[in-house]
PDB file of all heavy atoms in Angstrom:
ATOM      1  N   GLU A  35      39.776  30.927  12.261  1.00 97.00           N
ATOM      2  CA  GLU A  35      40.528  30.282  11.139  1.00 97.00           C
ATOM      3  C   GLU A  35      41.761  30.883  10.950  1.00 97.00           C
ATOM      4  O   GLU A  35      42.771  30.105  10.746  1.00 97.00           O
ATOM      5  CB  GLU A  35      39.611  30.273   9.909  1.00 97.00           C
ATOM      6  CG  GLU A  35      40.256  29.673   8.681  1.00 97.00           C
ATOM      7  CD  GLU A  35      39.425  29.864   7.421  1.00 97.00           C
ATOM      8  OE1 GLU A  35      38.403  30.670   7.436  1.00 97.00           O
ATOM      9  OE2 GLU A  35      39.802  29.155   6.414  1.00 97.00           O
ATOM     10  N   HIS A  36      41.837  32.199  10.978  1.00 96.00           N
ATOM     11  CA  HIS A  36      43.169  32.892  10.850  1.00 96.00           C
ATOM     12  C   HIS A  36      44.065  32.569  11.926  1.00 96.00           C
ATOM     13  O   HIS A  36      45.246  32.441  11.725  1.00 96.00           O
ATOM     14  CB  HIS A  36      42.921  34.393  10.498  1.00 96.00           C
ATOM     15  CG  HIS A  36      44.127  35.160  10.161  1.00 96.00           C
ATOM     16  ND1 HIS A  36      44.701  34.990   8.910  1.00 96.00           N
ATOM     17  CD2 HIS A  36      45.004  35.953  10.839  1.00 96.00           C
ATOM     18  CE1 HIS A  36      45.856  35.769   8.821  1.00 96.00           C
ATOM     19  NE2 HIS A  36      45.959  36.336  10.074  1.00 96.00           N
ATOM     20  N   ILE A  37      43.543  32.619  13.159  1.00 96.00           N
ATOM     21  CA  ILE A  37      44.405  32.372  14.347  1.00 96.00           C
ATOM     22  C   ILE A  37      45.013  30.968  14.244  1.00 96.00           C
ATOM     23  O   ILE A  37      46.126  30.769  14.450  1.00 96.00           O
ATOM     24  CB  ILE A  37      43.660  32.589  15.596  1.00 96.00           C
ATOM     25  CG1 ILE A  37      43.243  34.102  15.840  1.00 96.00           C
ATOM     26  CG2 ILE A  37      44.314  31.969  16.783  1.00 96.00           C
ATOM     27  CD1 ILE A  37      42.155  34.264  16.904  1.00 96.00           C
ATOM     28  N   ASN A  38      44.180  30.020  13.912  1.00 95.00           N
ATOM     29  CA  ASN A  38      44.678  28.613  13.726  1.00 95.00           C
ATOM     30  C   ASN A  38      45.670  28.499  12.603  1.00 95.00           C
ATOM     31  O   ASN A  38      46.751  27.757  12.805  1.00 95.00           O
ATOM     32  CB  ASN A  38      43.489  27.650  13.459  1.00 95.00           C
ATOM     33  CG  ASN A  38      42.630  27.529  14.753  1.00 95.00           C
ATOM     34  OD1 ASN A  38      43.062  27.734  15.830  1.00 95.00           O
ATOM     35  ND2 ASN A  38      41.358  27.207  14.495  1.00 95.00           N
ATOM     36  N   TYR A  39      45.453  29.295  11.584  1.00 94.00           N
ATOM     37  CA  TYR A  39      46.475  29.208  10.398  1.00 94.00           C
ATOM     38  C   TYR A  39      47.805  29.772  11.011  1.00 94.00           C
ATOM     39  O   TYR A  39      48.895  29.159  10.687  1.00 94.00           O
ATOM     40  CB  TYR A  39      46.031  30.118   9.256  1.00 94.00           C
ATOM     41  CG  TYR A  39      47.011  30.276   8.226  1.00 94.00           C
ATOM     42  CD1 TYR A  39      47.425  29.234   7.290  1.00 94.00           C
ATOM     43  CD2 TYR A  39      47.785  31.433   8.049  1.00 94.00           C
ATOM     44  CE1 TYR A  39      48.365  29.364   6.336  1.00 94.00           C
ATOM     45  CE2 TYR A  39      48.764  31.629   7.124  1.00 94.00           C
ATOM     46  CZ  TYR A  39      48.992  30.528   6.285  1.00 94.00           C
ATOM     47  OH  TYR A  39      50.022  30.743   5.283  1.00 94.00           O
ATOM     48  N   MET A  40      47.820  30.907  11.709  1.00 93.00           N
ATOM     49  CA  MET A  40      49.009  31.539  12.150  1.00 93.00           C
ATOM     50  C   MET A  40      49.709  30.543  13.125  1.00 93.00           C
ATOM     51  O   MET A  40      50.932  30.253  13.105  1.00 93.00           O
ATOM     52  CB  MET A  40      48.762  32.773  12.973  1.00 93.00           C
ATOM     53  CG  MET A  40      48.472  33.920  12.079  1.00 93.00           C
ATOM     54  SD  MET A  40      48.385  35.612  12.921  1.00 93.00           S
ATOM     55  CE  MET A  40      47.457  35.192  14.374  1.00 93.00           C
ATOM     56  N   LEU A  41      48.971  29.826  14.056  1.00 94.00           N
ATOM     57  CA  LEU A  41      49.500  28.819  14.990  1.00 94.00           C
ATOM     58  C   LEU A  41      50.063  27.714  14.253  1.00 94.00           C
ATOM     59  O   LEU A  41      51.129  27.180  14.676  1.00 94.00           O
ATOM     60  CB  LEU A  41      48.385  28.472  15.945  1.00 94.00           C
ATOM     61  CG  LEU A  41      48.721  27.477  17.038  1.00 94.00           C
ATOM     62  CD1 LEU A  41      49.929  28.174  17.966  1.00 94.00           C
ATOM     63  CD2 LEU A  41      47.582  27.091  17.832  1.00 94.00           C
ATOM     64  N   SER A  42      49.512  27.328  13.219  1.00 93.00           N
ATOM     65  CA  SER A  42      50.107  26.205  12.431  1.00 93.00           C
ATOM     66  C   SER A  42      51.436  26.430  11.827  1.00 93.00           C
ATOM     67  O   SER A  42      52.131  25.466  11.492  1.00 93.00           O
ATOM     68  CB  SER A  42      49.022  25.809  11.253  1.00 93.00           C
ATOM     69  OG  SER A  42      49.198  26.730  10.153  1.00 93.00           O
ATOM     70  N   LYS A  43      51.794  27.659  11.714  1.00 92.00           N
ATOM     71  CA  LYS A  43      53.146  28.029  11.206  1.00 92.00           C
ATOM     72  C   LYS A  43      54.229  28.067  12.285  1.00 92.00           C
ATOM     73  O   LYS A  43      55.453  28.316  12.010  1.00 92.00           O
ATOM     74  CB  LYS A  43      53.089  29.393  10.490  1.00 92.00           C
ATOM     75  CG  LYS A  43      52.017  29.434   9.313  1.00 92.00           C
ATOM     76  CD  LYS A  43      52.561  28.434   8.244  1.00 92.00           C
ATOM     77  CE  LYS A  43      51.570  28.448   7.138  1.00 92.00           C
ATOM     78  NZ  LYS A  43      51.818  27.369   6.198  1.00 92.00           N
ATOM     79  N   ILE A  44      53.897  27.927  13.572  1.00 94.00           N
ATOM     80  CA  ILE A  44      54.862  27.961  14.608  1.00 94.00           C
ATOM     81  C   ILE A  44      55.126  26.526  15.107  1.00 94.00           C
ATOM     82  O   ILE A  44      54.268  25.888  15.700  1.00 94.00           O
ATOM     83  CB  ILE A  44      54.237  28.774  15.756  1.00 94.00           C
ATOM     84  CG1 ILE A  44      53.965  30.212  15.328  1.00 94.00           C
ATOM     85  CG2 ILE A  44      55.267  28.888  16.930  1.00 94.00           C
ATOM     86  CD1 ILE A  44      53.182  31.112  16.396  1.00 94.00           C
ATOM     87  N   PRO A  45      56.367  26.012  14.849  1.00 94.00           N
ATOM     88  CA  PRO A  45      56.635  24.724  15.199  1.00 94.00           C
ATOM     89  C   PRO A  45      56.552  24.381  16.684  1.00 94.00           C
ATOM     90  O   PRO A  45      56.214  23.128  17.050  1.00 94.00           O
ATOM     91  CB  PRO A  45      58.131  24.466  14.898  1.00 94.00           C
ATOM     92  CG  PRO A  45      58.282  25.474  13.665  1.00 94.00           C
ATOM     93  CD  PRO A  45      57.435  26.659  14.076  1.00 94.00           C
ATOM     94  N   ARG A  46      56.733  25.372  17.491  1.00 94.00           N
ATOM     95  CA  ARG A  46      56.617  25.042  18.995  1.00 94.00           C
ATOM     96  C   ARG A  46      55.079  24.790  19.399  1.00 94.00           C
ATOM     97  O   ARG A  46      54.782  24.279  20.489  1.00 94.00           O
ATOM     98  CB  ARG A  46      56.963  26.293  19.883  1.00 94.00           C
ATOM     99  CG  ARG A  46      58.410  26.418  20.080  1.00 94.00           C
ATOM    100  CD  ARG A  46      58.828  25.627  21.318  1.00 94.00           C
ATOM    101  NE  ARG A  46      60.180  25.391  21.418  1.00 94.00           N
ATOM    102  CZ  ARG A  46      60.937  25.615  22.510  1.00 94.00           C
ATOM    103  NH1 ARG A  46      60.241  26.095  23.523  1.00 94.00           N
ATOM    104  NH2 ARG A  46      62.113  25.399  22.682  1.00 94.00           N
ATOM    105  N   GLY A  47      54.132  25.097  18.477  1.00 94.00           N
ATOM    106  CA  GLY A  47      52.736  24.859  18.718  1.00 94.00           C
ATOM    107  C   GLY A  47      52.045  25.734  19.604  1.00 94.00           C
ATOM    108  O   GLY A  47      50.948  25.454  20.175  1.00 94.00           O
ATOM    109  N   ARG A  48      52.604  26.862  19.953  1.00 96.00           N
ATOM    110  CA  ARG A  48      51.933  27.875  20.746  1.00 96.00           C
ATOM    111  C   ARG A  48      52.404  29.268  20.280  1.00 96.00           C
ATOM    112  O   ARG A  48      53.333  29.466  19.656  1.00 96.00           O
ATOM    113  CB  ARG A  48      52.239  27.656  22.155  1.00 96.00           C
ATOM    114  CG  ARG A  48      53.633  27.946  22.680  1.00 96.00           C
ATOM    115  CD  ARG A  48      53.810  27.836  24.135  1.00 96.00           C
ATOM    116  NE  ARG A  48      55.282  28.052  24.594  1.00 96.00           N
ATOM    117  CZ  ARG A  48      55.806  29.179  24.828  1.00 96.00           C
ATOM    118  NH1 ARG A  48      55.081  30.337  24.719  1.00 96.00           N
ATOM    119  NH2 ARG A  48      57.023  29.352  25.200  1.00 96.00           N
ATOM    120  N   PHE A  49      51.595  30.335  20.850  1.00 96.00           N
ATOM    121  CA  PHE A  49      52.068  31.645  20.518  1.00 96.00           C
ATOM    122  C   PHE A  49      53.065  32.144  21.575  1.00 96.00           C
ATOM    123  O   PHE A  49      52.953  31.622  22.727  1.00 96.00           O
ATOM    124  CB  PHE A  49      50.782  32.614  20.497  1.00 96.00           C
ATOM    125  CG  PHE A  49      49.908  32.279  19.383  1.00 96.00           C
ATOM    126  CD1 PHE A  49      48.618  31.756  19.648  1.00 96.00           C
ATOM    127  CD2 PHE A  49      50.202  32.700  18.118  1.00 96.00           C
ATOM    128  CE1 PHE A  49      47.692  31.376  18.575  1.00 96.00           C
ATOM    129  CE2 PHE A  49      49.350  32.491  17.062  1.00 96.00           C
ATOM    130  CZ  PHE A  49      48.132  31.844  17.248  1.00 96.00           C
ATOM    131  N   VAL A  50      53.888  33.102  21.221  1.00 97.00           N
ATOM    132  CA  VAL A  50      54.969  33.663  22.187  1.00 97.00           C
ATOM    133  C   VAL A  50      54.174  34.474  23.284  1.00 97.00           C
ATOM    134  O   VAL A  50      53.090  35.035  22.902  1.00 97.00           O
ATOM    135  CB  VAL A  50      55.965  34.423  21.527  1.00 97.00           C
ATOM    136  CG1 VAL A  50      55.403  35.642  20.930  1.00 97.00           C
ATOM    137  CG2 VAL A  50      57.150  34.734  22.376  1.00 97.00           C
ATOM    138  N   GLU A  51      54.534  34.370  24.478  1.00 97.00           N
ATOM    139  CA  GLU A  51      53.993  35.218  25.493  1.00 97.00           C
ATOM    140  C   GLU A  51      54.599  36.629  25.430  1.00 97.00           C
ATOM    141  O   GLU A  51      55.839  36.792  25.234  1.00 97.00           O
ATOM    142  CB  GLU A  51      54.270  34.654  26.891  1.00 97.00           C
ATOM    143  CG  GLU A  51      53.617  33.258  27.078  1.00 97.00           C
ATOM    144  CD  GLU A  51      52.079  33.290  27.183  1.00 97.00           C
ATOM    145  OE1 GLU A  51      51.483  34.274  27.681  1.00 97.00           O
ATOM    146  OE2 GLU A  51      51.422  32.338  26.728  1.00 97.00           O
ATOM    147  N   VAL A  52      53.788  37.625  25.734  1.00 97.00           N
ATOM    148  CA  VAL A  52      54.278  38.999  25.709  1.00 97.00           C
ATOM    149  C   VAL A  52      55.432  39.029  26.715  1.00 97.00           C
ATOM    150  O   VAL A  52      56.440  39.831  26.497  1.00 97.00           O
ATOM    151  CB  VAL A  52      53.140  40.069  26.026  1.00 97.00           C
ATOM    152  CG1 VAL A  52      53.840  41.442  26.248  1.00 97.00           C
ATOM    153  CG2 VAL A  52      52.140  40.016  24.854  1.00 97.00           C
ATOM    154  N   ALA A  53      55.289  38.521  27.898  1.00 98.00           N
ATOM    155  CA  ALA A  53      56.432  38.474  28.920  1.00 98.00           C
ATOM    156  C   ALA A  53      57.632  37.871  28.403  1.00 98.00           C
ATOM    157  O   ALA A  53      58.734  38.374  28.817  1.00 98.00           O
ATOM    158  CB  ALA A  53      55.926  37.866  30.099  1.00 98.00           C
ATOM    159  N   GLU A  54      57.528  36.964  27.511  1.00 98.00           N
ATOM    160  CA  GLU A  54      58.872  36.352  26.977  1.00 98.00           C
ATOM    161  C   GLU A  54      59.544  37.360  26.038  1.00 98.00           C
ATOM    162  O   GLU A  54      60.731  37.435  26.094  1.00 98.00           O
ATOM    163  CB  GLU A  54      58.509  35.139  26.224  1.00 98.00           C
ATOM    164  CG  GLU A  54      57.975  33.937  27.030  1.00 98.00           C
ATOM    165  CD  GLU A  54      57.546  32.727  26.198  1.00 98.00           C
ATOM    166  OE1 GLU A  54      56.609  33.009  25.326  1.00 98.00           O
ATOM    167  OE2 GLU A  54      57.897  31.616  26.557  1.00 98.00           O
ATOM    168  N   ILE A  55      58.758  38.142  25.314  1.00 98.00           N
ATOM    169  CA  ILE A  55      59.403  39.066  24.370  1.00 98.00           C
ATOM    170  C   ILE A  55      59.937  40.253  25.258  1.00 98.00           C
ATOM    171  O   ILE A  55      61.114  40.613  24.995  1.00 98.00           O
ATOM    172  CB  ILE A  55      58.313  39.690  23.375  1.00 98.00           C
ATOM    173  CG1 ILE A  55      57.869  38.607  22.479  1.00 98.00           C
ATOM    174  CG2 ILE A  55      58.980  40.706  22.513  1.00 98.00           C
ATOM    175  CD1 ILE A  55      56.599  38.972  21.685  1.00 98.00           C
ATOM    176  N   ALA A  56      59.349  40.634  26.364  1.00 98.00           N
ATOM    177  CA  ALA A  56      59.680  41.613  27.230  1.00 98.00           C
ATOM    178  C   ALA A  56      61.060  41.308  27.829  1.00 98.00           C
ATOM    179  O   ALA A  56      61.919  42.115  28.059  1.00 98.00           O
ATOM    180  CB  ALA A  56      58.654  42.060  28.269  1.00 98.00           C
ATOM    181  N   ALA A  57      61.109  40.024  28.298  1.00 98.00           N
ATOM    182  CA  ALA A  57      62.351  39.559  28.968  1.00 98.00           C
ATOM    183  C   ALA A  57      63.494  39.608  27.986  1.00 98.00           C
ATOM    184  O   ALA A  57      64.602  39.966  28.395  1.00 98.00           O
ATOM    185  CB  ALA A  57      62.111  38.133  29.504  1.00 98.00           C
ATOM    186  N   LEU A  58      63.264  39.252  26.801  1.00 98.00           N
ATOM    187  CA  LEU A  58      64.360  39.285  25.778  1.00 98.00           C
ATOM    188  C   LEU A  58      64.736  40.690  25.535  1.00 98.00           C
ATOM    189  O   LEU A  58      66.018  41.009  25.396  1.00 98.00           O
ATOM    190  CB  LEU A  58      63.894  38.607  24.516  1.00 98.00           C
ATOM    191  CG  LEU A  58      64.948  38.489  23.322  1.00 98.00           C
ATOM    192  CD1 LEU A  58      66.306  37.894  23.830  1.00 98.00           C
ATOM    193  CD2 LEU A  58      64.504  37.791  22.240  1.00 98.00           C
ATOM    194  N   ALA A  59      63.819  41.562  25.427  1.00 98.00           N
ATOM    195  CA  ALA A  59      64.153  43.077  25.186  1.00 98.00           C
ATOM    196  C   ALA A  59      64.835  43.591  26.338  1.00 98.00           C
ATOM    197  O   ALA A  59      65.817  44.274  26.215  1.00 98.00           O
ATOM    198  CB  ALA A  59      62.858  43.840  24.882  1.00 98.00           C
ATOM    199  N   ALA A  60      64.541  43.196  27.563  1.00 98.00           N
ATOM    200  CA  ALA A  60      65.279  43.640  28.796  1.00 98.00           C
ATOM    201  C   ALA A  60      66.719  43.175  28.713  1.00 98.00           C
ATOM    202  O   ALA A  60      67.620  43.965  29.116  1.00 98.00           O
ATOM    203  CB  ALA A  60      64.509  43.198  29.998  1.00 98.00           C
ATOM    204  N   PHE A  61      66.856  41.871  28.327  1.00 98.00           N
ATOM    205  CA  PHE A  61      68.250  41.333  28.142  1.00 98.00           C
ATOM    206  C   PHE A  61      69.012  42.117  27.192  1.00 98.00           C
ATOM    207  O   PHE A  61      70.145  42.564  27.441  1.00 98.00           O
ATOM    208  CB  PHE A  61      68.254  39.851  27.835  1.00 98.00           C
ATOM    209  CG  PHE A  61      69.553  39.367  27.388  1.00 98.00           C
ATOM    210  CD1 PHE A  61      70.544  39.135  28.286  1.00 98.00           C
ATOM    211  CD2 PHE A  61      69.821  39.180  26.014  1.00 98.00           C
ATOM    212  CE1 PHE A  61      71.875  38.741  27.799  1.00 98.00           C
ATOM    213  CE2 PHE A  61      71.049  38.784  25.659  1.00 98.00           C
ATOM    214  CZ  PHE A  61      72.076  38.559  26.556  1.00 98.00           C
ATOM    215  N   CYS A  62      68.455  42.400  26.044  1.00 97.00           N
ATOM    216  CA  CYS A  62      69.167  43.163  24.964  1.00 97.00           C
ATOM    217  C   CYS A  62      69.543  44.612  25.376  1.00 97.00           C
ATOM    218  O   CYS A  62      70.548  45.088  24.970  1.00 97.00           O
ATOM    219  CB  CYS A  62      68.214  43.241  23.776  1.00 97.00           C
ATOM    220  SG  CYS A  62      68.063  41.678  22.799  1.00 97.00           S
TER     221      CYS A  62
END
Side-chain angles (χ1 to χ4, degrees):
E35 180 182 10
H36 188 74
I37 292 169
N38 290 335
Y39 174 77
M40 290 189 315
L41 185 58
S42 75
K43 301 297 179 190
I44 303 172
R46 280 271 170 135
R48 69 175 179 85
F49 294 107
V50 67
E51 298 290 328
V52 173
E54 292 171 311
I55 300 168
L58 181 54
F61 167 73
C62 289

